[in-house]
């Protein structure tokens, strides 16, 4: 796992890791840049001092999505073959791992959209835990216009955020969503002024990071398993089993003692 980053900046303070996408341009998704995105998240997850992660962008864009010049054109022209072993992106061979699983099994992630997020620059982060946006942010879903379909599990996570009808209209039209509309329809959870957005995202992450990491990950797992579960008996069982595990862990005892001492 690399810790020498070329396409992003990594820092950590007060229990929060800050990953700032910064390739000096539009933070496009290339094989090399996405590899660094993965390495930075894994670095934060391996650090016991970190409880939550903030991912933002530098410059005008959060991320302009896939590098079409480098990824699409060589394959379209027959200069490079599609990868038959790529089960994530139809043969583009962009992702080194199951990105969605990485996000959902990670410590909590706050995605802080500072500017334009295009294609995969949006869909890659719909599975993050909290989405915040600057008033300068915009969200672009041009898949149908490019003759492709949405990816990165966005056909699950976008309807979960904005509803089936709205997700259908956005994806079928291929249109962009402005910052205020994104808040209004639930695409993002919070909207802030451009100058304050990152500070607010870090505050949200810090409020999460103060809680025991094992329980944060267990809550994420329960949300994933139970969100679409129709059988309430299974929901009860999963929660009960998780509670039983919590009761045996030192983090539970320490948290209760700390809560009672403050009270």
């Amino acid at each position: 796992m690399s810790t020498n980053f070329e396409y992003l900046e990594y820092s950590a303070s007060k229990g929060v890791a800050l990953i700032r996408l910064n390739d000096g341009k539009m933070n496009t998704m290339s094989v090399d840049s996405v590899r660094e995105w993965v390495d930075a998240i894994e670095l934060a997850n391996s650090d016991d001092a970190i409880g939550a992660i903030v991912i933002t962008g530098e410059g005008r864009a959060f991320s302009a999505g896939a590098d079409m010049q480098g990824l699409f054109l060589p394959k379209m022209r027959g200069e490079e073959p599609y990868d038959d072993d790529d089960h994530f992106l139809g043969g583009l061979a962009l992702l080194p791992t199951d990105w969605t699983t990485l996000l959902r099994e990670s410590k909590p992630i706050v995605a802080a959209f500072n500017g334009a997020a295009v294609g995969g620059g949006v869909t890659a982060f719909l599975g993050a835990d909290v989405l915040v946006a600057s008033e300068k942010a915009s969200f672009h879903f041009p898949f149908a216009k490019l003759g492709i379909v949405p990816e990165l599990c966005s056909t699950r996570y976008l309807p979960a955020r904005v509803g089936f009808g709205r997700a259908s209209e956005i994806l079928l039209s291929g249109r962009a969503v402005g910052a205020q509309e994104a808040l209004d329809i639930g695409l993002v959870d919070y909207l802030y002024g451009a100058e304050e957005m990152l500070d607010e995202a870090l505050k949200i992450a810090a409020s999460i990071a103060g809680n025991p990491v094992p329980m944060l990950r267990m809550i994420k797992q329960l949300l994933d398993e139970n969100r679409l579960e129709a059988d309430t008996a299974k929901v009860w069982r999963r929660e009960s089993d998780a509670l039983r595990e919590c009761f045996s862990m030192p983090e539970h005892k320490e948290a209760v003692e700390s809560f009672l001492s403050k009270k």
Side-chain angles (χ1 to χ4, degrees):
M1 179 176 62
S2 173
T3 57
N4 298 315
F5 299 114
E6 180 180 355
Y7 301 97
L8 62 84
E9 301 166 12
Y10 182 96
S11 60
S13 177
K14 298 179 180 179
V16 176
L18 173 60
I19 299 171
R20 192 190 298 266
L21 310 181
N22 186 8
D23 65 1
K25 298 176 183 177
M26 298 289 283
N27 302 323
T28 54
M29 301 170 72
S30 66
V31 172
D32 291 336
S33 65
V34 171
R35 174 71 265 177
E36 288 195 359
W37 296 9
V38 171
D39 286 349
I41 293 171
E42 290 180 342
L43 176 62
N45 284 330
S46 68
D47 186 345
D48 291 340
I50 298 300
I53 302 166
V54 172
I55 302 177
T56 192
E58 178 68 24
R60 293 189 299 113
F62 175 82
S63 171
D67 176 6
M68 288 193 286
Q69 290 279 354
L71 289 172
F72 285 69
L73 290 184
K75 292 178 172 57
M76 287 171 55
R77 294 168 175 167
E79 297 167 0
E80 295 179 4
Y82 290 96
D83 186 347
D84 291 338
D85 294 327
D86 174 19
H87 303 299
F88 301 122
L89 285 175
L92 285 179
L94 173 63
L95 295 175
T97 189
D98 182 338
W99 174 265
T100 302
T101 297
L102 173 67
L103 257 61
R104 296 310 305 158
E105 293 184 352
S106 168
K107 294 171 182 176
I109 295 175
V110 178
F113 294 93
N114 58 294
V118 183
V122 183
T123 56
F125 298 93
L126 292 177
D129 301 286
V130 183
L131 272 56
V132 305
S134 156
E135 60 190 1
K136 294 184 178 180
S138 57
F139 304 87
H140 304 256
F141 299 85
F143 304 99
K145 293 181 182 296
L146 294 172
I148 57 176
V149 299
E151 24 61 307
L152 294 163
C153 293
S154 57
T155 53
R156 172 176 177 174
Y157 287 114
L158 185 61
R161 287 191 168 274
V162 306
F164 178 81
R166 187 81 68 173
S168 296
E169 181 267 325
I170 290 171
L171 293 177
L172 294 173
S173 68
R175 72 177 177 89
V177 177
Q180 186 59 55
E181 183 187 0
L183 177 66
D184 293 342
I185 66 177
L187 176 56
V188 299
D189 304 303
Y190 298 98
L191 179 63
Y192 299 107
E195 299 301 321
E196 61 180 338
M197 186 273 297
L198 182 56
D199 286 341
E200 294 298 330
L202 290 169
K203 289 178 184 177
I204 293 170
S207 71
I208 295 171
N211 298 316
V213 169
M215 286 68 184
L216 294 175
R217 282 177 155 160
M218 291 165 74
I219 290 170
K220 289 183 62 168
Q221 182 178 355
L222 286 170
L223 287 169
D224 285 345
E225 292 177 341
N226 292 337
R227 183 168 56 84
L228 299 177
E229 179 60 71
D231 187 342
T232 54
K234 292 181 179 179
V235 175
W236 272 113
R237 174 55 62 187
R238 290 175 185 136
E239 292 174 346
S240 180
D241 290 346
L243 273 172
R244 192 179 305 278
E245 185 176 355
C246 288
F247 294 150
S248 68
M249 298 173 71
E251 289 86 353
H252 163 65
K253 299 178 177 64
E254 292 168 4
V256 170
E257 290 171 355
S258 175
F259 179 83
L260 291 176
S261 66
K262 292 177 182 177
K263 185 177 181 180

